[in-house]
Amino acid sequence: MTTSKASRRSPKTAGVIAARPGATYAFGATLAQIDRCHQLLRTISAHSDMVAVCAGAQLDDASLSTLGESIFAAAHEVRVLVDTIYAQRLRGGEPLEEG
């Protein structure tokens, strides 16, 4: 019995796209930044799922506004994190040629 490469991948690498040969990297991110981004995206996804599943009908006003505020705060933190990573240009920050 044979298995495809996709089915043998671990869950952590299943969605990873390999860099093309000769790719130029423009930004660097620390593992802590990647972990935090992943955590924030999971938070946004989970809270959004809760809002979508309940459709507001079974949530009181305080719960709905709390979920909305949490989604907004996490999304804002993702934006700040992306801006921080953007500022961490590799190769001394000089502009890279489009490839």
Side-chain angles (χ1 to χ4, degrees):
M1 179 174 181
T2 62
T3 59
S4 69
K5 273 188 171 182
S7 64
R8 289 184 294 197
R9 288 188 207 159
S10 73
K12 288 186 178 183
T13 61
V16 175
I17 299 172
R20 30 170 243 254
T24 302
Y25 298 95
F27 308 100
T30 66
L31 289 177
Q33 289 170 326
I34 292 169
D35 288 345
R36 184 64 182 148
C37 188
H38 184 253
Q39 180 184 29
L40 290 166
L41 292 174
R42 288 179 56 99
T43 297
I44 292 168
S45 178
H47 289 139
S48 299
D49 286 348
M50 183 66 174
V51 171
V53 167
C54 293
Q58 295 143 346
L59 295 174
D60 64 17
D61 291 340
S63 296
L64 191 57
S65 63
T66 300
L67 286 169
E69 184 178 337
S70 178
I71 292 167
F72 178 83
H76 176 72
E77 191 174 341
V78 168
R79 179 74 256 167
V80 170
L81 185 58
V82 168
D83 289 343
T84 301
I85 292 169
Y86 180 80
Q88 295 170 180
R89 304 238 354 141
L90 298 177
R91 301 174 71 205
E94 70 265 20
L96 300 175
E97 293 182 25
E98 294 293 320

